[in-house]
Amino acid sequence: MMSIGEKIRVLRLGKGLSVNEFAKKSGVSKSYISNIERDVQKNPSLIIMGKLAKTLDVPLEELLTHKYGEDDKTKVK
């Protein structure tokens, strides 16, 4: 399962943005973005997540949810 930080990093790199560019566009500090991406900050606020989602041009829900594949499902018996 990909963490929120990993997901943000993948999306940021997919847009061709450096941490510095991403910080400037989102209005979130470089150090805070770095901490999120490295999973030092594991629970960023919805306000911050909203800014990052808007900058990445993805719905906020995409950053907050994990899409489960068949192998990830927990079976309840």
Side-chain angles (χ1 to χ4, degrees), residues 2-48:
M2 192 180 287
S3 71
I4 290 173
E6 289 171 322
K7 193 178 289 191
I8 289 169
R9 183 174 186 275
V10 166
L11 290 168
R12 174 180 63 77
L13 292 173
K15 294 273 185 189
L17 294 171
S18 68
V19 174
N20 194 40
E21 292 167 321
F22 190 38
K24 285 181 182 175
K25 288 182 181 225
S26 66
V28 178
S29 75
K30 289 187 292 185
S31 62
Y32 199 77
I33 291 170
S34 177
N35 285 342
I36 293 170
E37 289 187 357
R38 292 182 296 119
D39 291 324
V40 173
Q41 172 54 264
K42 293 179 187 274
N43 196 14
S45 74
L46 286 176
I47 293 169
I48 296 294

